[in-house]
Amino acid sequence: EDSGIWDRKLGLYGIWGPLIETWLDELLPEKSLEMVNERLSMLVTTFPTLEKNKISEFESKNDLIRCNMASVHLPLFLNGNLYTDFRDA
């Protein structure tokens, strides 16, 4: 309701990503790094080179969330952009 999705012509288009990031930040425990570092790997593709990078070490809870969002990015739909930023790449 806070995001106004019911009043938007395109619903969640372009705002779904920030909503998911907020939910993940609220849901993931503070000790999530201890739980996932070196145990979880995500694949992130850089743009425009399309080089694939396997990430299994995270610098912070926010870094973990940003990696997840980059890994599952749906161009345009999640944030209105063709790609999303992760670690300045």
Side-chain angles (χ1 to χ4, degrees):
E1 225 173 87
D2 293 340
S3 58
I5 60 169
W6 305 114
D7 301 324
R8 294 169 44 95
K9 270 187 176 182
L10 298 175
L12 290 169
Y13 179 87
I15 63 166
W16 188 231
L19 292 174
I20 294 171
E21 285 186 51
T22 300
W23 293 337
L24 287 173
D25 188 50
E26 292 172 3
L27 293 172
L28 289 174
E30 289 305 317
K31 63 177 185 175
S32 56
L33 288 185
E34 298 170 23
M35 299 165 67
V36 301
N37 265 342
E38 298 297 330
R39 295 181 186 162
L40 170 74
S41 295
M42 290 189 241
L43 191 62
V44 176
T45 305
T46 58
F47 185 80
T49 64
L50 303 181
E51 177 184 335
K52 292 177 181 32
N53 299 294
K54 180 180 170 185
I55 311 292
S56 57
E57 287 188 45
F58 307 96
E59 300 165 2
S60 64
K61 180 178 164 182
N62 186 58
D63 189 53
L64 171 63
I65 292 169
R66 294 296 307 137
C67 183
N68 182 67
M69 295 307 296
S71 178
V72 300
H73 185 70
L74 298 171
L76 302 175
F77 184 72
L78 285 181
N79 65 359
N81 296 318
L82 192 56
Y83 60 90
T84 190
D85 291 327
F86 173 65
R87 293 184 182 168
D88 300 322

